[in-house]
Amino acid sequence: MSELQDVAAEMGMPRFAAKQMAQWMYRKHVENIDEMTNLSKAAREQLATRYEVGAGRPLEVLTSVDGTEKYLFQTDGGQFVETVYIPDGERHTLCVSTQVGCKMNCLFCQTGKQGFHGNLTATDMLRQIGWAMRERGLTNIVLMGQGEPFDNLDEVMRTLHVLTSEEGYGWSPRRITVSTVGLRKNLQRFLDESECHLAISLHSPIHEQRLQLMPAERQFAIADVVELLRHYDFAHQRRLSFEYIVFRGVNDTPSHANALLRLLRGLDCRVNLIRFHRIPEVDLEGANDVEMTAFRDYLTSHGLFTTIRASRGEDIMAACGLLSTKRMERDAEQAQQ
């Protein structure tokens, strides 16, 4: 809201015009300034000389056989990101990207193979969200697309503020989940300043193995992340979950299950088991349904609430770990030559 107040002041408009603009953008999803009919015609004309509004539209929409949709958006900087819409009965979830590519370079993730090409602005993130809100209707948002949200925390927090403030979309933070590998300093800031749900990418409870899968373990060890989490209350409305891709013969043994139980003992949390989707040049294999069910049942029987997340959108490369806009970036570079 403070930014809109600055715009109003810059344009010589009354202070309350900032709230009017916010309502048009975040509640009514207008696509151009001229639709803001409670602003004077002169004010609208003046605004239009400096600014544009509207959620924007994806450059491409792909639809999976299971109803999942993947959207390609162009950023203000001329790069590309992918966003995934997952309808499931009355639940409509949008998986939002926060960076172009990613620095974390997790072994099992296609986005990491793309490399890092820049942070998204709050505007870039809200462009993904606003279009889906208007065109599809949403019940939940997860910041689990391309990138590491806590490596771009300032813009992520601006986005969350617009989503949850009364001047913005007015969403409950309980409808939003933010995922991270565990960047400790920014994780602590997020926990102190936001009430949104938190998901930690875990994937192995054993330091040496997690380091092989996730280079971020060297600087942000999962044991240290969990120790920080023990200082916060997850026993009430805010939910803490751990994401765990199950690799056959790698992290699905009884010793891994017992290490998970020891690591997370006493935390109010859940574990989400995720199927691995193969990517080129990575020698990992996903566990099958029987193996994943056995792993889940063992953890649950020992008091750790565990679920198996349904795999969606694999046929359009929209499933967990498959997002990448490397091809689009290459095509854009070739077009400029």
Side-chain angles (χ1 to χ4, degrees), residues 142-199:
V142 294
L143 274 63
M144 295 183 181
Q146 292 177 260
E148 162 56 55
F150 289 1
D151 189 40
N152 185 21
L153 188 60
D154 286 342
E155 295 300 308
V156 165
M157 295 300 287
R158 289 179 65 200
T159 301
L160 296 179
H161 176 74
V162 171
L163 287 172
T164 59
S165 68
E166 281 302 313
E167 298 84 6
Y169 287 109
W171 271 39
S172 165
R174 312 307 182 196
R175 298 168 63 187
I176 304 167
T177 302
V178 183
S179 175
T180 179
V181 300
L183 280 64
R184 185 182 172 95
K185 180 179 178 181
N186 285 350
L187 169 59
Q188 186 168 358
R189 178 185 163 196
F190 169 80
L191 291 169
D192 290 339
E193 298 180 14
S194 170
E195 295 182 358
C196 295
H197 296 315
L198 174 67

Side-chain angles (χ1 to χ4, degrees), residues 1-267:
M1 178 60 74
S2 62
E3 293 178 7
L4 289 177
Q5 289 172 345
D6 291 342
V7 169
E10 176 190 350
M11 296 288 126
M13 300 163 64
R15 187 178 178 85
F16 64 79
K19 185 174 183 179
Q20 292 174 316
M21 289 187 284
Q23 290 174 337
W24 283 112
M25 290 191 296
Y26 304 134
R27 301 299 176 94
K28 298 182 181 179
H29 309 295
V30 296
E31 294 195 67
N32 62 72
I33 290 171
D34 203 48
E35 294 179 63
M36 299 180 177
T37 53
N38 59 354
L39 300 181
S40 71
K41 188 173 187 297
R44 282 179 277 151
E45 290 176 349
Q46 189 177 9
L47 279 171
T49 64
R50 296 284 304 276
Y51 299 100
E52 295 180 355
V53 300
R57 295 180 178 274
L59 302 178
E60 181 179 81
V61 177
L62 298 178
T63 303
S64 167
V65 294
D66 63 25
T68 299
E69 296 180 346
K70 183 169 73 170
Y71 311 132
L72 176 69
F73 286 94
Q74 188 166 19
T75 71
D76 284 342
Q79 296 176 304
F80 303 94
V81 291
E82 293 182 326
T83 311
V84 180
Y85 166 70
I86 308 165
D88 184 15
E90 295 183 356
R91 186 181 178 94
H92 301 267
T93 301
L94 190 72
C95 182
V96 176
S97 293
T98 57
Q99 294 180 311
V100 181
C102 186
K103 297 177 187 175
M104 300 301 110
N105 196 27
C106 296
L107 177 63
F108 46 82
C109 180
Q110 188 68 44
T111 303
K113 309 304 180 219
Q114 178 179 344
F116 175 71
H117 297 278
N119 287 324
L120 297 190
T121 64
T123 299
D124 290 325
M125 288 179 246
L126 291 168
R127 180 178 293 115
Q128 301 169 60
I129 295 165
W131 184 85
M133 280 188 176
R134 186 182 69 230
E135 300 294 331
R136 298 295 184 265
L138 299 178
T139 62
N140 297 84
I141 291 171
V142 294
L143 274 63
M144 295 183 181
Q146 292 177 260
E148 162 56 55
F150 289 1
D151 189 40
N152 185 21
L153 188 60
D154 286 342
E155 295 300 308
V156 165
M157 295 300 287
R158 289 179 65 200
T159 301
L160 296 179
H161 176 74
V162 171
L163 287 172
T164 59
S165 68
E166 281 302 313
E167 298 84 6
Y169 287 109
W171 271 39
S172 165
R174 312 307 182 196
R175 298 168 63 187
I176 304 167
T177 302
V178 183
S179 175
T180 179
V181 300
L183 280 64
R184 185 182 172 95
K185 180 179 178 181
N186 285 350
L187 169 59
Q188 186 168 358
R189 178 185 163 196
F190 169 80
L191 291 169
D192 290 339
E193 298 180 14
S194 170
E195 295 182 358
C196 295
H197 296 315
L198 174 67
I200 302 291
S201 296
L202 201 165
H203 311 304
S204 176
I206 299 169
H207 170 73
E208 294 77 11
Q209 186 178 64
R210 189 172 188 259
L211 179 59
Q212 292 177 341
L213 296 170
M214 305 171 65
E217 170 72 8
R218 185 178 306 280
Q219 189 173 357
F220 307 105
I222 191 61
D224 295 336
V225 171
V226 170
E227 182 58 32
L228 172 64
L229 295 172
R230 293 189 185 281
H231 296 279
Y232 292 85
D233 180 13
F234 298 99
H236 297 92
Q237 290 185 320
R238 178 184 240 180
R239 186 173 65 241
L240 170 64
S241 58
F242 290 88
E243 311 295 291
Y244 197 94
I245 299 176
V246 187
F247 307 107
R248 174 179 287 174
V250 175
N251 65 349
D252 62 344
T253 69
S255 64
H256 285 90
N258 287 321
L260 263 179
L261 292 169
R262 290 193 298 271
L263 176 68
L264 303 181
R265 183 175 291 121
L267 270 182

